[in-house]
Structure formats: structure tokens, C-alpha cells
Amino acid sequence: QVQLVESGGGSVQAGGSLRISCAASLYTTNTKCVGWFRQAPGKEREGVAIIYTGDGGKALYVNSVKGRFTVSRENANNTVFLQMNNLKREDTATYYCAAGRAIACMVVKDQILPDGFDYWGQGTQVTVSS
């Protein structure tokens, strides 16, 4: 059974950095990427980055985090990281990772949609204060 566990969330001041992790128990043959999503109170869940499990670890980002966030992976441990730099108050949210099928692994009109991400972690809170 696929289980995803996020860790590393916390509180940081604006301009600071934080790295969160996503450890997967396993990937299925359908898993082609791992996505990072976030959800702030009263807002819809939005995708921020994806990384392919193959394809040399290609990463894609939405514009709001491009240049500030970096997603990477450690294949030996099925772990994916999200390094977040120059954090802003609007980055405050619960961050989730999810395992996605091929149809999900893309950015379309600056959006990463949750459709096709079959397995989700429980989330980790990131709070950015001014």
C-alpha cells in the first residue's frame, strides 16, 4: 500500500527558508511524478511543483514559486524534498505531497491539477510571519 508522509514544516519569518520532505513507502508502476500542493485556510488546494520519478528527475513549477522553490528527490529512499527560499506570508499553508499518474504530471496554464494524483500525504503546516 502506498503511503506518503510529509515532514519538516514549521514557522519561519518572511525571507527565510524551509525544507519539507515527502517519504513514500513505495511507488506503483503507475506513479510517474510526485507533486507538491498547498492549501491555505478558505482557499482551494493548489499545486506548486512536480518532479518526475524517472526522466532524470525533471521538475516543473508554477510561476508563483518559480525561482524560490526547488524540488528534488532521493531515489534510494523514495523521498522527495521541497526547498523553499525567500518565503512570503502568502506561502503560509498546509503542504501536501501526492503521487501522480502520467496524466497528472504537467503544468497547464500555470496550474497543477489534483486529478490523477492517487495517493496523498497527511500534510505539514508551513507558517510564514512578517
Side-chain angles (χ1 to χ4, degrees), residues 53-112:
T53 54
D55 199 16
K58 178 182 177 181
L60 299 174
Y61 305 89
V62 297
N63 288 336
S64 61
V65 305
K66 196 174 293 183
R68 301 189 299 123
F69 290 12
T70 302
V71 59
S72 61
R73 67 184 188 183
E74 187 174 278
N75 287 342
N77 297 321
N78 288 343
T79 301
V80 170
F81 305 96
L82 185 67
Q83 175 69 43
M84 303 180 288
N85 298 328
N86 191 21
L87 282 160
K88 305 175 181 181
R89 287 191 64 185
E90 52 263 42
D91 295 318
T92 295
T94 300
Y95 283 71
Y96 301 88
C97 63
R101 287 175 275 135
I103 193 173
C105 302
M106 61 186 70
V107 178
V108 179
K109 295 182 179 180
D110 199 33
Q111 293 184 69
I112 300 170

Side-chain angles (χ1 to χ4, degrees), residues 4-10 12 18-22 35-41 45-49 62 64-65 68-70 81-98 120-128:
L4 301 172
V5 179
E6 301 95 339
S7 61
V12 64
L18 205 60
R19 188 177 83 156
I20 56 179
S21 303
C22 171
W36 282 103
F37 294 78
R38 65 186 181 186
Q39 188 166 20
R45 188 171 298 190
E46 64 168 344
V48 298
V62 297
S64 61
V65 305
R68 301 189 299 123
F69 290 12
T70 302
F81 305 96
L82 185 67
Q83 175 69 43
M84 303 180 288
N85 298 328
N86 191 21
L87 282 160
K88 305 175 181 181
R89 287 191 64 185
E90 52 263 42
D91 295 318
T92 295
T94 300
Y95 283 71
Y96 301 88
C97 63
W120 293 77
Q122 82 291 346
T124 187
Q125 177 67 36
V126 172
T127 302
V128 184

